[in-house]
Amino acid sequence: MSKRVIACCLLIALSSEMAFAGLGSKKVMYVGGTATAISERTEGTTTTKDEKEYVFTYPGGKLSIPYDQVDSLEYGQKAGRRVGLAVAITPFALFSKKRKHFLTISWKDEDDKQQAVVLELGKDIVRTELATLEARTGRKIEYQDDEARHAGKGN
């Protein structure tokens, strides 16, 4: 095999893997909800440092959710097999799972209208975000199942 063919195969393999890489471990993605100014699948960051509001910052703007207006917090996971990656690179990827971490926040806005967002959280920020949201809102996280409870609390 020529060096050119090997280099081309490596380039294809690396670019295919990057296409399936998903959300960064410290990033947040807006999945959906009532915030019409944000497009679905918009990535950004969140901050819990403000004592009055939870802030999701994305390219072109920010969404602020007052802690004292939050009605409910729900956390769940979805595990999917990396089928596309397995086909493109190696069948061993079929045995690995990529967990997605979803946080749903419901609150009343300044007009007393119910609002909600679903955010996908990067794996490295899940526990910190959940603990801080519970502390600042005074609301308990509702876990979708025992597996989500284990991942969210680290037990």
Side-chain angles (χ1 to χ4, degrees):
M1 240 195 243
S2 75
K3 290 181 182 179
R4 192 174 268 176
V5 172
I6 293 171
C8 188
C9 289
L10 282 173
L11 182 63
I12 290 170
L14 288 173
S15 64
S16 296
E17 187 172 339
M18 290 172 72
F20 293 100
L23 186 66
S25 64
K26 294 187 180 191
K27 291 283 198 172
V28 177
M29 181 177 17
Y30 176 80
V31 177
T34 58
T36 57
I38 309 172
S39 300
E40 290 181 5
R41 303 195 50 81
T42 297
E43 287 188 30
T45 57
T46 57
T47 183
T48 55
K49 291 181 181 179
D50 188 304
E51 292 186 19
K52 296 191 184 286
E53 57 189 14
Y54 181 73
V55 180
F56 172 60
T57 304
Y58 57 94
K62 72 177 185 173
L63 171 66
S64 299
I65 303 171
Y67 292 124
D68 63 353
Q69 297 298 314
V70 172
D71 297 318
S72 68
L73 300 164
E74 183 179 355
Y75 170 73
Q77 293 181 313
K78 179 181 172 187
R81 299 233 179 249
R82 299 178 182 184
V83 177
L85 180 62
V87 170
I89 303 213
T90 174
F92 294 113
L94 281 173
F95 300 107
S96 70
K97 286 185 179 179
K98 176 177 173 40
R99 295 205 181 277
K100 294 186 175 188
H101 306 272
F102 295 100
L103 170 65
T104 303
I105 304 173
S106 298
W107 77 99
K108 296 256 176 124
D109 67 12
E110 61 275 353
D111 297 326
D112 205 35
K113 291 184 182 175
Q114 193 65 45
Q115 304 294 327
V117 294
V118 178
L119 302 171
E120 181 181 344
L121 304 176
K123 67 178 183 173
D124 289 349
I125 63 172
V126 172
R127 290 182 184 152
T128 304
E129 296 270 316
L130 297 181
T132 304
L133 281 166
E134 272 191 338
R136 297 218 194 267
T137 64
R139 303 279 180 184
K140 290 288 186 191
I141 302 286
E142 297 174 36
Y143 294 93
Q144 290 179 343
D145 54 35
D146 287 336
E147 193 171 339
R149 183 180 323 284
H150 175 73
K153 290 188 173 182
N155 296 336

